[in-house]
Amino acid sequence: MTTRIGILTAGSDCPGLNAAIRAIGKAAQNDSQTELIAFQDGFLGLIHDQSMQPALSGILTLGGTTLGTSREQPQRVSVKGQMQDLTDAAIATYRRHKLDVLICLGGVETQSTALHLSRNGLNVMTLPKGIDNDLVMTDTTIGYDTALSTATEAIDRLHSTAYSHHRIILVEILGRRCGWLTLGAGIAGGADVIILPEIPYDIERITAAIMERNEENKRFSIIAVSEGGISKDTVEFFERTKNVNHQVRKGAEAEQVDRQLNQIEGRMTGNTIFLANQLEKSTGLQTRITILGHLLRGGAPSATDRVLATDLGTACVRFLRQGHTGVMVGTQGGHIVPVPLDQVAGKYKIIAPDHPYIQSARQVGTNFGDEG
């Protein structure tokens, strides 16, 4: 009997997605009894049955995704300004095409959606992607290596203008909840200060580190900042707000407000501009900002990402033939493993304060804006 595989890319784009699509498609083609059906624009394509035959030739080196993508989730779709649950429509498309499995390439939100579909009776598998490298239960994600090289090159280039003009330059790097990309690029690019979501910073400690450099006649500083970097004062503000919440509310109402506060805290942006203004005042040095933003998602995938995507894509088909579904195909200690989706969905790979990368950075004099 013919095995019918559906495939889609969801969430943000990143380098390496096309390499993974190619790997899955070509591995499936090796079995004449397998048919591949792609859906355009993420889960929207599944909901609206926008199917296509994916091109597999000439896409290995292309950035982005030839299938298109979106951030919509079947259980939460905006229709004329109202959120609706269109899970039934997604299931209907799956049944209409007589799919045996749906393979979803995506990040944290995609893993949660895949689990939702799995619990609604669909056979689902996922591949981990994302430049943030924030997925649990996998050592790395498709797209991270390419973005890391791009961010590092940006820091390298900014060094020359920083020391020429004796300025502080802040480089904002994507990563709201996890700072893997900022940490890696900051270490590789020799940043003097690294600001991570996991380590709330103290403006006075950053100022002291910069002034100490000036006293040593190092009249410039490079600061790598995660977009989700947050100050100790802001963290303390949210903690006080939560305490007041529990004083005036009880039970489910208090828990709901806590969740809302956590969402606001986790989505805070614009901190880099605030930090730059503070540093200019506290140090008296000219301060400039470079926000890398979506630049980090673009371009051709690195050799490492191409190999990773190919490895994960072919393994995905192999695991499918072994009867695995309801899993994310990830890497652990150099091995490719199927991980149950309920161990992945809704979780973030937070950097531990004693992680070896942080210890190494501290030993070469990198400041994290804390007491370490």
Side-chain angles (χ1 to χ4, degrees), residues 51-93:
S51 61
M52 60 181 288
Q53 288 298 314
L56 303 178
S57 297
I59 67 172
L60 175 64
T61 63
L62 296 181
T65 166
T66 57
L67 302 185
T69 189
S70 70
R71 302 188 70 92
E72 299 284 6
Q73 301 169 284
Q75 65 272 33
R76 187 176 171 80
V77 180
S78 178
V79 180
K80 296 181 179 180
Q82 299 293 323
M83 288 299 174
Q84 295 186 17
D85 186 342
L86 300 182
T87 300
D88 288 344
I91 294 174
T93 301

Side-chain angles (χ1 to χ4, degrees), residues 13-255:
D13 69 294
C14 72
L17 287 174
N18 290 318
I21 294 167
R22 172 182 178 272
I24 293 169
K26 286 185 173 290
Q29 282 181 346
N30 286 334
D31 184 347
S32 60
Q33 298 298 309
T34 301
E35 182 178 352
L36 186 67
I37 302 168
F39 295 95
Q40 301 178 62
D41 301 336
F43 290 107
L44 281 180
L46 184 67
I47 292 168
H48 300 300
D49 197 358
Q50 297 172 325
S51 61
M52 60 181 288
Q53 288 298 314
L56 303 178
S57 297
I59 67 172
L60 175 64
T61 63
L62 296 181
T65 166
T66 57
L67 302 185
T69 189
S70 70
R71 302 188 70 92
E72 299 284 6
Q73 301 169 284
Q75 65 272 33
R76 187 176 171 80
V77 180
S78 178
V79 180
K80 296 181 179 180
Q82 299 293 323
M83 288 299 174
Q84 295 186 17
D85 186 342
L86 300 182
T87 300
D88 288 344
I91 294 174
T93 301
Y94 180 100
R95 304 293 186 204
R96 189 178 305 115
H97 287 276
K98 299 179 180 179
L99 298 180
D100 294 289
V101 67
L102 176 67
I103 300 176
C104 308
L105 284 61
V108 175
E109 292 179 356
T110 300
Q111 309 304 318
S112 297
T113 300
L115 178 61
H116 170 73
L117 293 176
S118 178
R119 287 173 172 171
N120 277 272
L122 306 190
N123 293 328
V124 183
M125 299 179 74
T126 69
L127 262 63
K129 68 87 179 165
I131 65 171
D132 296 342
N133 195 33
D134 56 359
L135 275 169
V136 299
M137 306 302 288
T138 185
D139 295 336
T140 190
T141 53
I142 296 169
Y144 171 67
D145 182 77
T146 307
L148 179 61
S149 297
T150 302
T152 301
E153 182 180 357
I155 293 175
D156 289 346
R157 289 175 178 272
L158 288 167
H159 264 93
S160 59
T161 191
Y163 75 69
S164 295
H165 290 273
H166 314 307
R167 288 172 174 165
I168 302 170
I169 292 187
L170 290 84
V171 187
E172 183 181 281
I173 298 171
L174 293 179
R176 287 191 179 182
R177 294 181 181 271
C178 305
W180 292 103
L181 187 56
T182 303
L183 178 60
I187 293 173
D192 305 297
V193 180
I194 298 176
I195 304 299
L196 306 175
E198 294 89 343
I199 304 178
Y201 67 83
D202 184 333
I203 185 65
E204 293 182 1
R205 294 188 179 278
I206 299 175
T207 298
I210 291 172
M211 298 312 294
E212 183 178 339
R213 285 178 54 79
N214 269 33
E215 291 172 4
E216 297 172 354
N217 204 32
K218 300 174 183 177
R219 295 186 295 164
F220 74 97
S221 294
I222 297 288
I223 304 178
V225 187
S226 286
E227 63 173 334
I230 193 168
S231 70
K232 283 179 58 180
D233 291 341
T234 303
V235 171
E236 290 170 0
F237 166 78
F238 276 102
E239 289 301 319
R240 289 195 301 270
T241 304
K242 291 173 187 176
N243 288 335
V244 172
N245 171 46
H246 282 274
Q247 291 173 14
V248 300
R249 299 180 179 88
K250 302 297 179 184
E253 185 183 10
E255 292 177 2

